Amino acid sequence: MEAQVFKILTGPQWALWRGLGVTLGSHDDRRDGFIHFSSAAQTIGTLSKHFPAHDRLWLVRAEAVRMGPALKWEPSRSGQLFPHLYGAFSFFMASGEWPIARSEDRWLLPME
């Protein structure tokens, strides 16, 4: 699949992940039994569907190879394959992180 995947975090989630160096994900991630990620192409859809009330978030890029076999691509929204991490998301898996903001109902992302 893709070499890089993306995790969207709220400010408090990002601060906790940075402080601890690891996260088991959001409440929804823990409920579902895996940490939800998106491909670059899926990120805007994920922001629109799951973060409509937010104007500022954090986008973390992770390297799939660093996640090993714990990263699985599985069908989700509209049958698309999404990256799911079955395990903790460690700081060493990340390769970039950016604060992102919505401007005029459009998210400004670093990969655009």
Side-chain angles (χ1 to χ4, degrees), residues 76-97:
S76 189
R77 186 170 62 232
S78 303
Q80 293 180 64
L81 295 179
F82 277 79
H84 298 154
L85 180 63
Y86 286 86
F89 178 39
S90 300
F91 185 72
F92 83 90
M93 296 173 176
S95 60
E97 56 191 277

Side-chain angles (χ1 to χ4, degrees), residues 47-87:
L47 285 163
S48 297
K49 180 175 173 118
H50 297 288
F51 298 92
H54 295 270
D55 289 324
R56 296 186 180 280
L57 295 164
W58 281 87
L59 182 67
V60 179
R61 181 182 63 213
E63 301 298 322
V65 69
R66 294 180 189 171
M67 298 176 166
L71 183 68
K72 306 204 181 300
W73 290 80
E74 300 175 314
S76 189
R77 186 170 62 232
S78 303
Q80 293 180 64
L81 295 179
F82 277 79
H84 298 154
L85 180 63
Y86 286 86

Side-chain angles (χ1 to χ4, degrees), residues 2-83:
E2 295 188 28
Q4 298 174 328
V5 296
F6 296 85
K7 179 66 180 160
I8 301 162
L9 301 168
T10 64
Q13 290 168 344
W14 175 82
L16 189 59
W17 173 71
R18 289 286 290 169
L20 297 175
V22 67
T23 183
L24 297 176
S26 68
H27 171 75
D28 291 339
D29 294 329
R30 292 187 305 277
R31 177 200 65 216
D32 293 343
F34 55 83
I35 300 177
H36 296 264
F37 283 80
S38 298
S39 70
Q42 295 165 332
T43 300
I44 289 291
T46 299
L47 285 163
S48 297
K49 180 175 173 118
H50 297 288
F51 298 92
H54 295 270
D55 289 324
R56 296 186 180 280
L57 295 164
W58 281 87
L59 182 67
V60 179
R61 181 182 63 213
E63 301 298 322
V65 69
R66 294 180 189 171
M67 298 176 166
L71 183 68
K72 306 204 181 300
W73 290 80
E74 300 175 314
S76 189
R77 186 170 62 232
S78 303
Q80 293 180 64
L81 295 179
F82 277 79

Side-chain angles (χ1 to χ4, degrees), residues 94-109:
S95 60
E97 56 191 277
W98 303 269
I100 58 173
R102 187 189 333 249
S103 175
E104 299 178 15
D105 292 329
R106 180 175 176 275
W107 284 97
L108 305 175
L109 301 180

